[in-house]
Amino acid sequence: MEATTASGIRRILVPLDGSFFAEQALPYAKAIGGPETELILLEVAPPAEPVRGLLGNVLVTAEEVRQSYDEGIETALETTRRAWLGERPHVRMETAIGDAAEEVLRVAERESVDLIVMASHGRGAIGRWVIGSVADRVARTSLIPVMVMRPQEEMPTEPGRCEIRRLIVPLDGSELAEQALPFVEVLAASLHVPVLLVTVTDIVHDIARATAYGMPFRQEVYDELVAGARTKASDHLDGAASRLRRSGLEVSAQVLDGQAADAIANRAEPTDVIVMTSHGRGGLRRWLIGSVAEKLVREGPVPVILVPSTIRRQVLEPRRDAAVIGGLAGAVAATG
């Protein structure tokens, strides 16, 4: 992520699709961005195709369809801006044609945005989760932090209003999970909100797995395992909390018990935002977006910000470079 200004986040991208579901991401973008933060509202239309008659004759050219797309989207974006953001300065509207997820990532990289804020589902309505579609593809592959929020089925009673009073940061003892902390530091300082660091111990699950292999556990052994796990987890949280406190942040730490996603969700309050890295202890073999983070995005009560780890960058950047080289090679061959 590019360095941010002293006021916090410099530029936020908000992908929209013409639905009020997607538009509910705007209050979060507004709340996170300071008065000097630029908000970029992006809507992506499908590739334009000509409209043909029954005999195959062209009634409307692809260029005319494209122009109609552009005019309709620009009008819709302006209406959306006024409805949700009023006369807020530093709002820019962008349109693009093509694959939605690819265009979101392309514009985010081109504009050097610091955060992408988007709804978990849009035009598909409440029954169609975008996990497995646009939001999921963006969250899985972005090299920029992505906030995914679950919109309400009905129009909010106070459109444009949003409060963020605390950041919850799950850690699992790994260096990968701690890679979310620099972004947490910037965001917490910008919002002037406290940070709650949490980790989850699930001794019951570990012991149940061990007893399945016939290993008996006396009560005193169980108690010792629980105490040891909680002490280790608490020590780790204290170390991370101390680093954040040196930046002047208000930080608390808590060890939770149970299954990770459920324990974190139960701890969250309506005005919280969860911030976590895209990987955890499992590294490449266990993507958190496929386990804890995915469950929090799907079922959790508050928005989730996924911060890409260095593992993701190491994996995705060579692929993107190869794709660029392949595209250039194809262009050269075509012109050669």
Side-chain angles (χ1 to χ4, degrees), residues 31-148:
I32 291 173
E36 298 302 315
T37 299
E38 182 179 32
L39 303 185
I40 303 174
L41 314 187
L42 170 68
E43 185 161 343
V44 181
E49 296 182 359
V51 178
R52 299 181 181 276
L54 293 177
L55 300 178
N57 55 311
V58 175
L59 301 178
V60 184
T61 67
E63 181 59 32
E64 290 172 327
V65 172
R66 168 65 187 269
Q67 184 177 354
S68 177
Y69 279 165
D70 288 343
E71 292 174 354
I73 289 175
E74 289 172 4
T75 299
L77 286 177
E78 177 61 24
T79 300
T80 297
R81 182 190 70 80
R82 291 186 179 278
W84 291 87
L85 303 175
E87 297 302 320
R88 184 193 191 280
H90 308 298
V91 178
R92 178 153 52 97
M93 291 165 287
E94 293 277 342
T95 62
I97 301 290
D99 178 85
E102 291 178 4
E103 289 302 311
V104 168
L105 294 170
R106 183 184 65 81
V107 172
E109 184 174 356
R110 184 194 72 198
E111 299 293 338
S112 300
V113 305
D114 300 305
L115 179 66
I116 300 169
V117 179
M118 61 192 307
S120 58
H121 55 270
R123 184 174 290 128
I126 209 73
R128 177 180 175 267
W129 290 93
V130 183
I131 295 298
S133 185
V134 178
D136 182 53
R137 288 171 60 197
V138 170
R140 282 182 181 273
T141 59
S142 175
L143 299 180
I144 297 163
V146 179
M147 170 188 269
V148 183

